[in-house]
Amino acid sequence: MASANSTYGQKETSDQNFDYMFKILIIGNSSVGKTSFLFRYADDSFTPTFVSTVGIDFKVKTIYRSDKRIKLQIWDTAGQERYRTITTAYYRGAMGFILMYDITNEDSFNAVQDWSTQIKTYSWDNAQVLLVGNKCDMEDERVVASQRGQQLSDQLGFEFFETSAKDNINVKQTFERLVDIICERMSESLDNNDPTITGAKQGPQLNEQPQRSHQDCAC
Amino acid sequence: MAADSDTESEVFEITDFTTASDWERFVSRVEEVLNEWKLIGNSEEKRLSEKSEFTSGTWEENFEEINFADFKFEITYHFLKQEHVKSNKKEELEEDAVPLAVQNLLSENNDFPPRAHCLVRWYGVQEFVVISPGSNCEAIISESKCNLLLSSISIALSNSGCQVPVFVQIQHKWRRMYAGECLGPGLRTDFEMVHLRKVPSQYNHLSGLLDVFKSKISCTISPVPPVSIAIRFTYILQDWQQYSWPQQPPDFDTPLGGEVGGVEFGKLPFGACEEPISELHLATTWPRLTEGLVVDNDVYSDLDPLQAPLWTVRVRTTENPQCLLGDVLSEFFKLCCIKETAEEILGRGMAEDEGKENSDISSALSKLTEPSATVPIHKLSVSNMVHSARKHIRRQRHMDESPLNAGILNTILLYLFPDAAVEKPSEYTKTKSEQSNTPGKTEQDKNSDNLFSQLKSAPSDSLTYRLALCLSLVNYNYGGLRAVAHVWQEFVLELRYRWENNYLIFGLAGGSPDLRCCLLHQKLQMLNCCIERKRARDDARKVLDEGKERAHRESGSSAAAVTSTKEVSPGKSWDSWSDSEEEFFECLSDQGDMDAPQTEEEKTGSKRKAEGRLHQYNSMNLLNSSEPLYVPVTQEPAPMTEDLLEEQSEVLAKLGTSAEGTHLRARMQSACLLSDMESFKAANPGCILDDFVRWYSPRDYVEEEVVDDTGSLVMKGHLSARMKIPGNMWVEAWETARVTPARRQKRLFDDTKEAERVLHYMAMQKPADVTLHLLPCLIHGTILKLKEEEATENIPSVQISLQQVVSQASRLMQTPARDYKRLEEFINRLIAMETVITQARSLKAKFSICDKAENREDLEIFVRSLLEEPEVLVIGAGQGPAGSIIHRMFVSAQRAAVLAPLDEDLNQERQSTESSRVPDFPSPAGREILLRTCVPRPAPYSKALPQRLFCVLLKDEFRLAGAFSSDTCFF
């Protein structure tokens, strides 16, 4: 948790070879394909049936971004209502969220608003969220039009992807986009950090007295 | 004196022109640098500075190091940054235009700039180059060295054609002696200087200085062109006697002197302990006088400050005035670095003693309260009294050793635990008031809601927050570190007492720990969770025992038991059916309890024994029977604090990403699933996994329309493919799950163990750890206090600063590792804000004395600009509203100075006579006289060129800075 918090996940465990570690959470209703999505990305494999996740599970993938090794620790969560309290506890350390629904399931889409509220309540202020409509290979059974997903994501201020873990559509792109957003946010926050580092050098200076420089002749 | 330096004497010892000497190299290096900075020729981009541009514009500088042999010089180019004015200047540009610096000599636009380099002040130049000895090098003192330097400049200037004046710093640094020159087409200006410790009496006035000026320019034509004069006198006011700032004397003693409530502990002090404004400088200026218009000689002066056409004021603030809020904060922060443990600080004997005594008494107490079923409820308040009595005894015993006396300690504890103050008739009312309290407060807290999560502190009404304020004040006012350690020990004791006696800790939001708050707050919330569960368990057992008694008599005891349960904990319910066993557990549920009695009725009617039903689920029936499907009462998942969570996720992460790892992880986390399955089985006799999945994970139960044997459409359901995977977690768990209602299951959350863990953790904290835990809360409090205080002052700079500070703080606080250096900087920033607010207050008090409505607004603007600008013009000079106040200040300070030893009465009687003798103003602390003219030099037929002499007369300094131009055409 807090380990990932530490100054934006800069390396703090010496046992791993990476420059940054990003913690990412995949959330969404039960059986929208969170586990499949993760397996597709981490192992590039697909099985039509994964055992329903109990509690929380994770996978690791290391990627490169501008010569930096970024270790992604991706936590896969159980979608069942009953697990909400357990999984939301993990929200706080996460730097990115993939909020997933199933385009063939109206309920899972309707729950997105709810999940997003959960993120706002329990996560870090600057956690980044992507909205993902999964199972876009099952066009025949689609009940959530692509536009609706887009609309909702605009409304929530998230970026949006339709994906298929089965046909490997947009899976990698989703993760990479999320990493990019986190990186952007990180450098932004580092830039903003400068006034913190330099103290009062920016903004109006309170200590600054109407003092003349050394030529002051007390007159 | 270097002022008389004769730069014409270009006598060097140059023997060999073919080998570049150190000196030659130096000169060419100077030229190089001038070239690099593009200071060659008359640049068309520059224009003469406008009115007061010296103050409003930005000054910049270029810097380079150059060597003369191994002697280091610093060469710096200072210039006023100007927007590029690309006008059609080219045409106007004359071949032999006078260099900018020489034009500057006569310009009246920027006399007496409030903030500028001394050379700017003396010579009015808007760009110049200074060569001064490097920081570690000795000063240029000998005359020959000075001359050598000056001639180097001359050569460099004439070689390069640079028209920017170049100065060299000579003599000791503190004397700020410069000599320099400026070369233009057909003219040169020499900058010379005289610096004396004392003002020679013949030059102690305008007329004497005019004589110097005139003799220096030795003008031979007649009539002599008039000399224009600008004069500025500065008066300093240091005595604020009658205009003191409005800070009430800080009440160091009051909060605990009498029976003042603990509320005082909730307030952070604010304000300066000393006058934050140290001096007021009044500059009276006569910007344009002509010779002969004023008389100022050794016997008479026309220069009455009251009559001066221009008044400007600046204030000097006290450096680092002692401010209460800042002191409290920084003193508290200092505790973070202390290594000792509480025992070491308080002395071993005492700590041990306390500990032993505590364990004795508390175990005795818990013996009293443990078999609570037999203790009638109303007796619980007795133990409360015992508790406070015990504290009293102990305190009296340690009075002389402990850093805090009993009175103060009591006040502190009452402030921290206000619920202990009121004698409650029974425990129940307390519970109720607490429950009704918490939501109300959280509503009110919504504004600062954001702030606490940003700072990772705690809500501003929480115990944690109060503890932070309290400890900071204890540290500041009541005995420092030892007292803090003492209070912390008492605090932990109180927590243990509450845990052992089932009293909820007051002032914490219910529910599981809020991960947005600081760890200490989470721990407290955790402890509260434990207490709540333990209490519920104890109460249930109690009720049950009562119920059992009755059950012997009547069989319908269930209803009675349930109602009494409800009484104990409103809003909570549980099944109270049990034959109490060793591993007895009653689980709470969040659901409303309305269904519970019904459930009981139905259940008694049903043939099979179902247990732990909460309510029916969507009017579904079990698949294999006609029984309705019930949602069981389940165990709540264990509450977690962030450190536990981290621990757990680390354990989970350590299992790796392999398939086995995944399986193990699932297994580790299956306790909750298993418990739910067991509860479900107990509530729904005859159920199958499909039933469970329909409730627990509805999407894993697929319903399809199927044509059955008879050919009609039937809905048929089955488990989803993933639930059918053989040997999967869910099936496995279902098979192992026994039929056990939640209350008889092994506890998922061991409140006893958790509570002990928290208490142990608390007890192990060193004062420094506690301080670190609470620092975010105190910073939170400080920011709130600053906001509150600023609200009445309306100071824009503080407003902006406050916003920045919040985001800065949130960045500092969100990272678990504390960066002390940055924290210190940050705290200094908070202190600076407090200082500014106190300065504003002080000035307001001084200037808003006359409450004439018409002036008020002007005065407020005036006061605000005093803080924000280096120098403020007094509108109407001595006659304006602000001017008359300043005048009065000086008058009263003057009188006070003269009449100090006299009594008030005498003072009034004599006032009329005295006032005529005492001048309104003290003698000026500084006098600046600027003389300017334009005369031909060195011969009467030369071009008329600007001449300038700037005189500074201070108590212990006399300086003449002259710039004299001469025509070089025929010389």
Side-chain angles (χ1 to χ4, degrees):
Chain A
M1 297 262 57
S3 70
N5 280 359
S6 63
T7 47
Y8 248 122
Q10 257 140 34
K11 178 177 180 175
E12 78 281 304
T13 39
S14 47
D15 54 322
Q16 307 278 345
N17 309 324
F18 57 88
D19 300 301
Y20 295 102
M21 186 170 92
F22 290 175
K23 196 169 148 181
I24 292 169
L25 235 66
I26 309 181
I27 58 171
N29 269 13
S30 144
S31 70
V32 295
K34 297 182 287 296
T35 309
S36 305
F37 190 73
L38 178 54
F39 269 76
R40 170 60 82 188
Y41 180 61
D43 300 353
D44 198 22
S45 64
F46 182 81
T47 323
T49 50
F50 276 109
V51 177
S52 180
T53 310
V54 176
I56 191 156
D57 193 18
F58 84 107
K59 284 215 166 278
V60 168
K61 176 135 179 152
T62 305
I63 59 165
Y64 291 84
R65 271 285 172 288
S66 49
D67 295 341
K68 294 272 185 249
R69 269 169 311 215
I70 301 178
K71 179 177 162 187
L72 301 181
Q73 194 183 56
I74 308 160
W75 291 81
D76 177 22
T77 62
Q80 281 87 1
E81 186 66 33
R82 182 75 182 132
Y83 283 110
R84 283 271 175 106
T85 26
I86 297 171
T87 51
T88 48
Y90 286 84
Y91 281 22
R92 197 147 170 97
M95 293 149 84
F97 287 85
I98 289 176
L99 202 179
M100 189 175 289
Y101 67 89
D102 174 356
I103 63 153
T104 69
N105 182 276
E106 184 76 34
D107 287 348
S108 72
F109 180 69
N110 293 338
V112 165
Q113 185 78 50
D114 243 31
W115 286 106
S116 135
T117 316
Q118 298 262 323
I119 295 174
K120 287 216 173 68
T121 317
Y122 293 104
S123 84
W124 236 11
D125 284 348
N126 39 6
Q128 302 301 313
V129 189
L130 289 191
L131 181 64
V132 167
N134 195 24
K135 307 197 189 173
C136 72
D137 53 292
M138 295 162 77
E139 203 49 63
D140 301 344
E141 293 170 51
R142 180 194 276 277
V143 291
V144 183
S146 186
Q147 298 92 299
R148 289 173 65 203
Q150 187 62 55
Q151 221 170 359
L152 182 62
S153 69
D154 290 345
Q155 190 191 323
L156 294 170
F158 307 152
E159 286 188 34
F160 174 66
F161 286 91
E162 278 204 349
T163 63
S164 163
K166 188 179 173 193
D167 292 358
N168 198 3
I169 302 170
N170 269 344
V171 176
K172 197 170 172 218
Q173 288 86 333
T174 303
F175 279 100
E176 293 192 339
R177 181 62 197 143
L178 184 57
V179 169
D180 285 346
I181 299 177
I182 294 172
C183 287
E184 274 167 33
R185 187 66 196 230
M186 201 164 94
S187 58
E188 240 171 68
S189 133
L190 286 177
D191 289 344
N192 291 344
N193 240 353
D194 279 345
T196 343
I197 296 160
T198 51
K201 273 190 188 146
Q202 283 193 5
Q205 289 201 17
L206 288 169
N207 317 344
E208 188 176 64
Q209 288 198 7
Q211 58 185 267
R212 288 176 247 157
S213 29
H214 42 96
Q215 84 290 354
D216 199 330
C217 345
C219 44
Chain B
M1 231 26 349
D4 297 326
S5 67
D6 189 1
T7 39
E8 309 287 8
S9 59
E10 289 166 332
V11 192
F12 342 107
E13 290 180 315
I14 298 166
T15 46
D16 186 359
F17 286 97
T18 55
T19 47
S21 64
D22 287 337
W23 179 67
E24 277 171 307
R25 270 198 292 269
F26 174 71
V27 171
S28 69
R29 181 75 187 114
V30 172
E31 283 172 46
E32 254 173 57
V33 171
L34 293 177
N35 260 312
E36 239 169 69
W37 290 340
K38 300 195 171 58
L39 304 180
I40 309 306
N42 200 351
S43 162
E44 61 260 42
E45 276 156 33
K46 293 172 201 151
R47 57 174 167 78
L48 197 61
S49 56
E50 280 153 14
K51 185 96 186 144
S52 57
E53 198 181 343
F54 283 10
T55 325
S56 58
T58 42
W59 285 87
E60 288 188 7
E61 53 185 64
N62 293 341
F63 172 83
E64 194 89 42
E65 263 187 7
I66 51 177
N67 282 328
F68 193 132
D70 53 356
F71 194 95
K72 265 205 184 85
F73 283 99
E74 289 168 357
I75 178 163
T76 321
Y77 172 51
H78 299 260
F79 60 102
L80 182 68
K81 209 180 171 202
Q82 288 179 322
E83 300 297 311
H84 286 277
V85 252
K86 288 270 180 208
S87 59
N88 28 353
K89 262 202 163 169
K90 280 247 164 85
E91 306 145 30
E92 298 164 30
L93 201 69
E94 293 164 42
E95 275 282 296
D96 53 351
V98 177
L100 208 52
V102 180
Q103 295 176 43
N104 280 143
L105 294 179
L106 285 188
S107 159
E108 287 178 1
N109 287 341
N110 287 291
D111 291 346
F112 313 117
R115 212 188 320 188
H117 190 277
C118 56
L119 287 171
V120 175
R121 202 170 169 75
W122 296 331
Y123 296 118
V125 285
Q126 67 186 73
E127 54 166 353
F128 56 96
V129 173
V130 178
I131 300 177
S132 53
S135 45
N136 296 323
C137 295
E138 56 191 81
I140 310 295
I141 292 174
S142 83
E143 192 134 348
S144 61
K145 274 188 191 167
C146 293
N147 286 338
L148 183 65
L149 259 180
L150 278 172
S151 26
S152 321
I153 290 171
S154 282
I155 296 169
L157 283 179
S158 61
N159 281 352
S160 64
C162 168
Q163 298 195 356
V164 177
V166 178
F167 294 88
V168 286
Q169 180 159 28
I170 50 180
Q171 304 297 351
H172 289 292
K173 269 225 155 119
W174 61 267
R175 295 185 63 181
R176 289 190 272 137
M177 290 279 288
Y178 295 88
E181 80 173 62
C182 179
L183 267 190
L187 71 92
R188 70 181 276 146
T189 303
D190 292 308
F191 297 90
E192 300 163 6
M193 198 170 285
V194 173
H195 179 235
L196 300 175
R197 287 267 186 146
K198 269 218 163 117
V199 184
S201 59
Q202 67 268 37
Y203 303 130
N204 201 2
H205 39 72
L206 178 60
S207 53
L209 295 166
L210 269 172
D211 290 343
V212 177
F213 186 53
K214 282 182 185 159
S215 70
K216 180 71 193 178
I217 57 181
S218 56
C219 184
T220 44
I221 55 165
S222 65
V224 180
V227 177
S228 88
I229 305 164
I231 301 179
R232 166 149 144 154
F233 286 3
T234 300
Y235 300 89
I236 297 179
L237 181 67
Q238 281 167 307
D239 179 12
W240 296 111
Q241 284 192 340
Q242 298 166 46
Y243 299 90
S244 59
W245 84 112
Q247 171 79 22
Q248 306 119 327
D251 10 83
F252 287 110
D253 308 309
T254 40
L256 295 165
E259 84 274 311
V260 185
V263 200
E264 284 303 313
F265 266 111
K267 289 185 184 148
L268 287 170
F270 186 89
C273 295
E274 53 188 308
E275 174 58 64
I277 302 290
S278 61
E279 288 177 1
L280 180 135
H281 293 193
L282 168 69
T284 58
T285 311
W286 291 263
R288 200 167 301 148
L289 295 172
T290 343
E291 197 188 345
L293 244 159
V294 283
V295 182
D296 180 47
N297 54 35
D298 47 356
V299 289
Y300 176 79
S301 175
D302 275 338
L303 301 170
D304 173 10
L306 262 185
Q307 304 306 320
L310 218 61
W311 274 27
T312 47
V313 173
R314 65 175 71 209
V315 288
R316 271 270 164 108
T317 50
T318 315
E319 255 178 58
N320 301 322
Q322 196 197 0
C323 287
L324 292 171
L325 182 61
D327 270 14
V328 168
L329 185 58
S330 47
E331 287 299 318
F332 192 66
F333 178 61
K334 276 184 204 156
L335 293 186
C336 295
C337 309
I338 286 160
K339 298 267 187 312
E340 284 91 349
T341 61
E343 276 76 20
E344 283 161 354
I345 292 158
L346 290 172
R348 262 211 104 63
M350 183 176 161
E352 262 174 22
D353 196 11
E354 293 232 6
K356 217 188 290 163
E357 183 188 9
N358 168 52
S359 61
D360 285 354
I361 290 190
S362 57
S363 63
L365 264 180
S366 55
K367 258 174 219 152
L368 245 177
T369 45
E370 197 138 69
S372 43
T374 55
V375 178
I377 291 143
H378 62 267
K379 276 193 186 165
L380 282 172
S381 56
V382 174
S383 73
N384 197 0
M385 284 187 280
V386 173
H387 165 67
S388 51
R390 165 182 71 110
K391 285 202 156 167
H392 243 89
I393 296 165
R394 193 182 50 211
R395 241 165 261 143
Q396 262 158 13
R397 198 187 301 163
H398 286 297
M399 190 113 84
D400 27 281
E401 311 158 41
S402 71
L404 283 170
N405 70 45
I408 294 175
L409 193 57
N410 258 331
T411 323
I412 290 169
L413 289 173
L414 277 183
Y415 165 65
L416 291 175
F417 302 99
D419 56 332
V422 199
E423 275 301 320
K424 297 274 162 59
S426 76
E427 194 195 350
Y428 304 147
T429 43
K430 192 164 89 192
T431 322
K432 270 178 192 157
S433 72
E434 213 164 305
Q435 278 172 344
S436 59
N437 239 340
T438 330
K441 277 181 178 172
T442 40
E443 289 287 328
Q444 180 195 14
D445 201 42
K446 274 211 170 117
N447 287 340
S448 56
D449 181 50
N450 197 19
L451 192 57
F452 88 77
S453 67
Q454 272 178 297
L455 299 181
K456 207 165 184 347
S457 61
S460 58
D461 58 344
S462 63
L463 172 63
T464 323
Y465 184 88
R466 272 180 287 135
L467 180 67
L469 297 198
C470 177
L471 284 185
S472 67
L473 290 178
V474 163
N475 177 47
Y476 188 61
N477 286 345
Y478 304 109
L481 178 62
R482 274 170 57 81
V484 168
H486 188 166
V487 172
W488 175 250
Q489 272 196 345
E490 290 288 337
F491 182 79
V492 177
L493 279 179
E494 175 70 26
L495 292 183
R496 175 164 288 284
Y497 169 80
R498 283 179 180 249
W499 157 246
E500 281 167 359
N501 294 284
N502 293 356
Y503 293 127
L504 282 180
I505 301 161
F506 185 81
L508 295 170
S512 46
D514 188 342
L515 300 177
R516 293 170 300 170
C517 295
C518 65
L519 183 60
L520 192 70
H521 186 78
Q522 294 178 31
K523 294 264 179 197
L524 290 170
Q525 283 186 308
M526 180 66 134
L527 189 58
N528 238 5
C529 289
C530 298
I531 295 172
E532 201 172 343
R533 295 212 183 178
K534 179 172 165 238
R535 192 159 87 172
R537 206 151 29 101
D538 288 352
D539 284 352
R541 195 184 296 169
K542 214 182 304 160
V543 165
L544 198 93
D545 286 348
E546 281 169 18
K548 253 188 182 172
E549 280 169 33
R550 262 176 261 171
H552 287 301
R553 278 168 279 141
E554 37 173 333
S555 54
S557 62
S558 58
V562 169
T563 41
S564 55
T565 313
K566 276 165 80 180
E567 201 183 305
V568 172
S569 177
K572 309 264 174 184
S573 92
W574 53 82
D575 240 343
S576 54
W577 290 71
S578 167
D579 14 25
S580 68
E581 296 163 3
E582 271 315 297
E583 52 155 4
F584 170 89
F585 172 71
E586 284 294 347
C587 180
L588 293 177
S589 90
D590 282 327
Q591 314 296 326
D593 55 329
M594 297 330 283
D595 295 315
Q598 284 174 354
T599 323
E600 314 303 337
E601 299 312 349
E602 276 172 37
K603 197 194 63 185
T604 38
S606 76
K607 21 192 171 51
R608 263 183 286 169
K609 197 180 164 217
E611 288 179 289
R613 285 175 171 177
L614 188 61
H615 59 78
Q616 224 177 306
Y617 181 68
N618 290 354
S619 56
M620 272 186 198
N621 283 347
L622 293 182
L623 291 169
N624 290 347
S625 74
S626 54
E627 279 287 308
L629 195 156
Y630 282 98
V631 173
V633 172
T634 48
Q635 289 200 50
E636 284 300 296
M640 298 274 246
T641 53
E642 66 184 22
D643 53 343
L644 286 181
L645 210 51
E646 191 180 341
E647 223 171 79
Q648 198 196 47
S649 62
E650 231 162 70
V651 168
L652 292 181
K654 275 218 179 92
L655 295 174
T657 51
S658 62
E660 300 90 75
T662 300
H663 190 71
L664 263 174
R665 256 195 298 279
R667 205 156 256 259
M668 283 173 64
Q669 295 175 90
S670 66
C672 183
L673 180 64
L674 190 68
S675 149
D676 289 346
M677 282 176 169
E678 293 189 341
S679 310
F680 188 83
K681 279 185 174 176
N684 297 291
C687 61
I688 54 171
L689 177 59
D690 299 38
D691 291 315
F692 178 74
V693 168
R694 283 200 300 163
W695 163 58
Y696 209 79
S697 181
R699 282 206 69 198
D700 281 307
Y701 189 74
V702 190
E703 283 187 320
E704 287 167 336
E705 287 181 335
V706 186
V707 185
D708 71 351
D709 303 339
T710 58
S712 53
L713 277 172
V714 190
M715 289 297 280
K716 230 185 150 192
H718 58 86
L719 286 178
S720 66
R722 63 177 184 174
M723 283 295 174
K724 284 188 195 151
I725 301 171
N728 83 64
M729 197 64 226
W730 294 66
V731 174
E732 204 177 291
W734 182 256
E735 274 157 12
T736 49
R738 293 172 303 157
V739 184
T740 324
R743 65 193 147 82
R744 267 191 279 132
Q745 289 166 12
K746 190 166 176 280
R747 277 185 274 164
L748 284 180
F749 175 62
D750 186 345
D751 47 58
T752 318
K753 198 180 115 204
E754 259 339 300
E756 287 302 336
R757 250 169 97 167
V758 170
L759 287 169
H760 178 73
Y761 178 86
M762 299 269 191
M764 293 318 285
Q765 296 297 297
K766 294 177 195 166
D769 303 330
V770 177
T771 316
L772 268 182
H773 278 304
L774 293 176
L775 194 62
C777 297
L778 187 62
I779 284 172
H780 182 174
T782 307
I783 290 175
L784 288 186
K785 184 76 185 169
L786 284 171
K787 272 192 176 151
E788 177 196 326
E789 299 286 339
E790 194 280 330
T792 58
E793 301 305 321
N794 189 25
I795 309 163
S797 64
V798 177
Q799 277 160 9
I800 297 165
S801 219
L802 267 173
Q803 288 165 3
Q804 294 172 338
V805 149
V806 169
S807 57
Q808 194 184 350
S810 81
R811 247 174 266 126
L812 278 174
M813 296 299 155
Q814 293 285 3
T815 52
R818 292 271 177 267
D819 182 339
Y820 287 94
K821 231 188 119 213
R822 279 168 67 181
L823 265 176
E824 201 174 341
E825 275 170 22
F826 174 73
I827 287 172
N828 285 336
R829 210 172 164 196
L830 293 179
I831 294 173
M833 282 199 273
E834 185 189 15
T835 312
V836 170
I837 294 173
T838 60
Q839 286 162 358
R841 289 213 171 138
S842 171
L843 283 176
K844 268 193 183 168
K846 291 178 175 65
F847 281 95
S848 303
I849 293 165
C850 76
D851 273 322
K852 280 184 224 152
E854 7 150 7
N855 292 336
R856 220 193 150 80
E857 222 168 272
D858 295 339
L859 281 175
E860 263 166 28
I861 293 169
F862 175 72
V863 165
R864 197 173 306 157
S865 37
L866 269 182
L867 277 178
E868 281 162 10
E869 289 162 30
E871 197 170 69
V872 182
L873 187 72
V874 180
I875 296 162
Q879 270 67 45
S884 54
I885 293 175
I886 295 167
H887 182 200
R888 247 180 291 148
M889 285 184 197
F890 273 103
V891 170
S892 50
Q894 278 292 94
R895 290 226 184 103
V898 174
L899 300 173
L902 294 179
D903 282 334
E904 285 288 317
D905 314 335
L906 283 172
N907 187 349
Q908 285 198 337
E909 279 168 35
R910 291 204 191 178
Q911 209 161 24
S912 49
T913 49
E914 292 285 346
S915 58
S916 55
R917 279 207 285 123
V918 182
D920 286 359
F921 288 88
S923 56
R927 285 173 291 166
E928 290 158 290
I929 295 169
L930 176 50
L931 308 172
R932 277 180 286 227
T933 191
C934 201
V935 295
R937 276 182 83 216
Y941 47 83
S942 300
K943 212 164 35 170
L945 288 169
Q947 319 291 340
R948 169 179 169 128
L949 182 68
F950 191 88
C951 322
V952 183
L953 292 79
L954 301 177
K955 208 177 120 224
D956 49 5
E957 185 180 295
F958 176 72
R959 187 188 298 272
L960 299 179
F964 303 103
S965 321
S966 49
D967 192 342
T968 50
C969 274
F970 304 104
F971 293 90

